[in-house]
Amino acid sequence: MCGIVGYIGQEQAAPILLEGLARLEYRGYDSAGVAVFDNEEIQVVKAKGKLKALRDLTNDGKSLEGTIGIGHTRWATHGEPSVINSHPHYNEDKSIAVVHNGIIENFQELRDKLTGKGYTFVSETDTEVIAHLLDYYYKMEQDPMEAIAKVVHRVVGSYALGIVFRKYPHQIFAVRQDSPLIVGQSDSGNYIASDVPAILKYTRDVYFIENKEIVRLTEHSIEFYNDDIERVDKEPSHIEWDIEAAEKGGYEHFMLKEIYEQPKAIRDTISPRIKNGQIDLGELDLSEEEIKNLRKIYIVACGSAYHVGVSAKYVLEQMARIPTDVDIASEFRYRDPIFEEHSLAIIISQSGETADTLAALREAKAHGVKTLGVVNVVGSSIARESDCVMYTWAGPEIAVATTKAYSTQLTVLYLIAMHLAYVRGKITREELDSLIAELWKLPEKVMEILGDKESLQKFASQAANHKDVFFIGRGLDYAVSLEGSLKLKEISYIHSEAYAAGELKHGTISLIEDGTLVIGVATQPELIGKTISNVVEVKSRGAYVVGLVEEDNREMEEHADFLIRIPKTSPYFTTSLAVIPLQLFGYYVSVAKGLDADKPRNLAKSVTVE
């Protein structure tokens, strides 16, 4: 959500800022702006709408002289999308400029106090409070570091800040709290950014900033301080994937590219963890005794990651026989959960910065529960704060609607379930070997599905006119239905719901009428008969039925109007295959409607505020 880029160095700053902001467009935004030092004055240019408007105003940045600047793409929270509410924000004499991601929870209290001290506000944003508060403390302390430290101690909420002071024309300052911010280092200058892709064109050496750490950048140096202004030593991390991994590579959309990258992503996630036919989960940091004593698992996540958790609950309970709760992160800590001894909390997040999920992690840790982060971003907040972490090696995911992150999260949870089940004696060595063999086959089977998409693409174009779509399934088929429904609604804007098929008679079936599109997922052998009974029920009421089944299923043929077949695999792993045609279906419906599948309206890639 929102994007920050800053640069100080030898090159003209504005084109670099615009280039970096363009690489953060996937995060979602409704306005953009830059602040650049030009002859020791801070020049701010802002525009509502897409980045192109800002490019046009600045001749792609060329009209703004200066080698120091900060830039921002804003997603409206406080105040409507407008030029006035766009970032950067000034203090009154325009001697301080600020860009901000996050939400200041006590902004109204601070605004009232500052108003009482004679400050005038021109925007509706919480960020303008930061600019005036910096001004207030700078006038008091006459030192930018002291002023920033005072602001850190007064502000409540989440923030990543990029700051420039007119009196310090050769420095950029940055600080963060619960909102991601990194620092990049190169021979031609130094950078700040809210995510790696923004600066990957210029450097792959980055520092991950901890909460309340203050950074001072010059052209040749980077200094880190805590909020008591004491120096902090940090080591840079080297990002292995390069800029090509974040390019479309000839695909029409990032989403389609990332769908096709899933076989490799799944394979890359499996490969380091199966050695000589054995599962090696040293990252899990659980002894055999701890595994045998596990009494409960809590899985906490949001959105698609939550749907991974729903699938994992079925697999963990059936395979490893460990009671497993799955919670939407935003509900977890507010329901005052009862934590049991000998428990494990699995925290799933693509970005590793999801605000609700991070808060749930801290809640579990505060109660003494061991935490495992499953994330895609090395060095992210959840990765750093979890007791142990397992990375999903999906590479950069740019499209807002997740595909390969979802698939690799599933893969990690399979590995965990298999390992726990074997150590606890719930599956035999032979059963484990068979599961490992099937897991290795998943990438090839995903490729097989991707290679046979033409009929699905044609059907999707016909389905684009539907106003309501329902997904039904039982067990793991219900879990994948949740994800299929989310994919469709978030990128096609078609109303879509997923229901446990057995719930149809308890009210939902009243929504079925002539022509209603119902997608029945039936891949679980012991549940196929019951799901088909539900398919018959909706079809008798006029529904147009799509059946999603394994390749050897013949029972659905006489009941479905359109069939999608997937290769046969272990019942535990069918979600990984069934989700692929559902991702493609959502994508092709979106394209048929002329929508931007990469950047659906009102959504952001990384939700870093509650």
Side-chain angles (χ1 to χ4, degrees):
M1 181 171 283
C2 304
I4 287 175
V5 182
Y7 171 75
I8 180 168
Q10 304 164 13
E11 308 294 331
Q12 188 177 2
I16 293 173
L17 299 179
L18 291 170
E19 173 72 17
L21 293 176
R23 297 191 181 280
L24 295 177
E25 284 189 292
Y26 66 91
R27 296 171 69 91
Y29 70 105
D30 48 47
S31 59
V34 293
V36 176
F37 271 111
D38 187 354
N39 296 321
E40 298 194 355
E41 293 295 323
I42 303 174
Q43 300 295 323
V44 170
V45 182
K46 305 191 282 187
K48 180 183 174 182
K50 293 301 181 183
L51 200 57
K52 183 180 184 302
L54 186 60
R55 286 187 179 278
D56 290 344
L57 281 175
T58 62
N59 188 23
D60 285 331
K62 295 169 188 166
S63 64
L64 289 174
E65 298 295 332
T67 61
I68 302 166
I70 52 177
H72 189 266
T73 50
R74 175 180 186 253
W75 189 266
T77 52
H78 295 77
E80 66 180 7
S82 69
V83 172
I84 289 176
N85 288 329
S86 302
H87 299 211
H89 285 281
Y90 279 130
N91 61 335
E92 286 189 75
D93 67 2
K94 298 185 178 181
S95 63
I96 302 171
V98 181
V99 291
H100 164 225
N101 288 351
I103 290 180
I104 305 304
E105 295 174 10
N106 62 337
F107 91 99
Q108 191 60 56
E109 172 195 339
L110 294 171
R111 185 176 177 128
D112 291 344
K113 287 184 177 181
L114 288 164
T115 300
K117 294 181 182 297
Y119 285 87
T120 302
F121 289 81
V122 298
S123 77
E124 304 168 88
T125 69
D126 55 340
T127 304
E128 193 180 359
V129 167
I130 301 293
H132 292 313
L133 200 60
L134 283 166
D135 176 87
Y136 175 76
Y137 285 122
Y138 180 75
K139 287 174 178 174
M140 181 186 300
E141 303 292 341
Q142 294 299 305
D143 181 277
M145 294 291 293
E146 292 284 356
I148 293 168
K150 287 264 195 279
V151 168
V152 167
H153 291 139
R154 285 296 309 275
V155 165
V156 177
S158 63
Y159 52 82
L161 303 176
I163 308 163
V164 289
F165 291 80
R166 186 170 61 201
K167 289 190 177 180
Y168 294 82
H170 304 295
Q171 299 180 39
I172 292 178
F173 300 86
V175 63
R176 64 155 290 204
Q177 171 70 40
D178 294 338
S179 192
L181 197 66
I182 63 169
V183 172
Q185 185 176 41
S186 76
D187 293 337
S188 62
N190 295 315
Y191 310 81
I192 61 171
S194 46
D195 205 352
V196 171
I199 59 175
L200 202 55
K201 179 177 178 180
Y202 309 103
T203 181
R204 288 195 279 174
D205 294 319
V206 304
Y207 296 88
F208 295 98
I209 307 174
E210 300 292 340
N211 279 342
K212 295 187 178 179
E213 281 187 347
I214 305 170
V215 189
R216 175 160 53 195
L217 297 88
T218 71
E219 179 182 333
H220 302 295
S221 66
I222 302 172
E223 299 171 352
F224 300 91
Y225 300 83
N226 61 24
D227 56 342
D228 291 323
I229 319 182
E230 299 168 332
R231 283 291 295 267
V232 175
D233 293 326
K234 298 180 78 70
E235 292 295 324
S237 299
H238 187 73
I239 304 301
E240 295 297 334
W241 46 270
D242 57 24
I243 194 66
E244 285 74 23
E247 299 287 358
K248 288 183 183 177
Y251 289 89
E252 184 177 356
H253 293 96
F254 279 111
M255 183 176 178
L256 185 60
K257 173 178 179 279
E258 289 157 9
I259 288 172
Y260 273 82
E261 288 175 339
Q262 286 175 113
K264 181 181 184 300
I266 294 170
R267 190 178 295 111
D268 288 347
T269 299
I270 296 171
S271 295
R273 290 158 176 138
I274 298 181
K275 300 173 182 176
N276 300 318
Q278 305 288 329
I279 294 178
D280 182 354
L281 297 187
E283 313 141 282
L284 192 54
D285 195 27
L286 285 174
S287 68
E288 289 196 3
E289 183 180 358
E290 286 177 304
I291 290 172
K292 289 175 180 177
N293 289 332
L294 272 178
R295 292 167 56 183
K296 191 164 190 177
I297 293 175
Y298 306 90
I299 299 177
V300 187
C302 300
S304 292
Y306 168 74
H307 299 159
V308 169
V310 177
S311 291
K313 172 182 170 68
Y314 287 106
V315 177
L316 282 162
E317 291 191 338
Q318 291 175 20
M319 190 189 295
R321 307 307 296 162
I322 303 173
T324 302
D325 281 355
V326 186
D327 276 89
I328 296 170
S330 57
E331 294 294 323
F332 180 70
R333 62 186 177 131
Y334 298 118
R335 73 171 174 87
D336 194 17
I338 299 170
F339 294 98
E340 295 189 24
E341 286 187 324
H342 305 295
S343 295
L344 174 69
I346 302 177
I347 313 298
I348 310 174
S349 167
Q350 182 270 331
S351 68
E353 302 290 350
T354 311
D356 292 315
T357 311
L358 185 57
L361 162 67
R362 292 167 179 164
E363 180 77 7
K365 289 192 71 171
H367 286 82
V369 175
K370 188 158 190 172
T371 54
L372 166 66
V374 178
V375 300
N376 191 47
V377 180
V378 175
S380 56
S381 295
I382 290 174
R384 295 197 306 274
E385 295 191 30
S386 297
D387 295 312
C388 44
V389 60
M390 291 182 67
Y391 287 110
T392 58
W393 301 114
E397 189 176 67
I398 305 302
V400 168
T402 184
T403 51
K404 61 178 180 173
Y406 172 92
S407 291
T408 52
Q409 288 164 359
L410 266 181
T411 303
V412 166
L413 269 295
Y414 294 153
L415 286 162
I416 292 170
M418 292 158 63
H419 179 62
L420 299 185
Y422 181 64
V423 171
R424 291 166 64 88
K426 302 303 180 183
I427 58 174
T428 65
R429 180 71 241 184
E430 291 74 22
E431 289 171 323
L432 179 62
D433 289 343
S434 176
L435 288 168
I436 290 173
E438 277 301 317
L439 196 65
W440 273 120
K441 294 176 185 175
L442 285 180
E444 180 182 339
K445 291 178 178 180
V446 171
M447 289 180 67
E448 183 180 336
I449 297 169
L450 293 171
D452 184 25
K453 67 183 189 309
E454 283 73 18
S455 61
L456 179 61
Q457 185 174 1
K458 181 178 179 181
F459 173 72
S461 65
Q462 299 167 351
N465 293 324
H466 282 274
K467 297 187 181 300
D468 302 282
V469 179
F470 299 103
F471 293 72
I472 60 173
R474 293 171 180 262
L476 280 167
D477 292 332
Y478 167 60
V480 77
S481 293
L482 289 169
E483 179 62 10
S485 176
L486 178 60
K487 280 294 148 291
L488 181 64
K489 73 177 71 171
E490 66 184 337
I491 61 173
S492 76
Y493 317 147
I494 292 174
H495 170 250
S496 171
E497 301 293 343
Y499 294 101
E503 281 292 288
L504 281 171
K505 292 180 181 178
H506 298 277
T508 307
I509 204 165
S510 67
L511 297 171
I512 304 300
E513 55 189 31
D514 282 345
T516 300
L517 180 56
V518 176
I519 298 177
V521 185
T523 69
Q524 299 296 293
E526 74 279 10
L527 298 172
I528 287 173
K530 290 190 177 294
T531 302
I532 287 178
S533 294
N534 300 127
V535 165
V536 170
E537 289 174 335
V538 296
K539 192 169 177 61
S540 68
R541 288 159 175 81
Y544 184 95
V545 174
V546 175
L548 198 165
V549 296
E550 289 191 309
E551 58 193 359
D552 61 351
N553 180 282
R554 296 292 175 265
E555 300 168 72
M556 187 71 82
E557 288 181 349
E558 62 181 280
H559 304 293
D561 299 289
F562 182 82
L563 268 179
I564 302 170
R565 296 190 183 276
I566 61 172
K568 194 168 183 62
T569 186
S570 163
Y572 292 121
F573 302 155
T574 55
T575 303
S576 287
L577 301 184
V579 75
I580 305 301
L582 299 183
Q583 293 171 347
L584 287 169
F585 177 68
Y587 171 76
Y588 286 126
V589 169
S590 176
V591 171
K593 294 183 69 174
L595 303 173
D596 186 345
D598 286 341
K599 292 175 279 188
R601 67 189 183 198
N602 303 331
L603 297 180
K605 182 64 174 173
S606 178
V607 182
T608 56
V609 295
E610 289 192 68

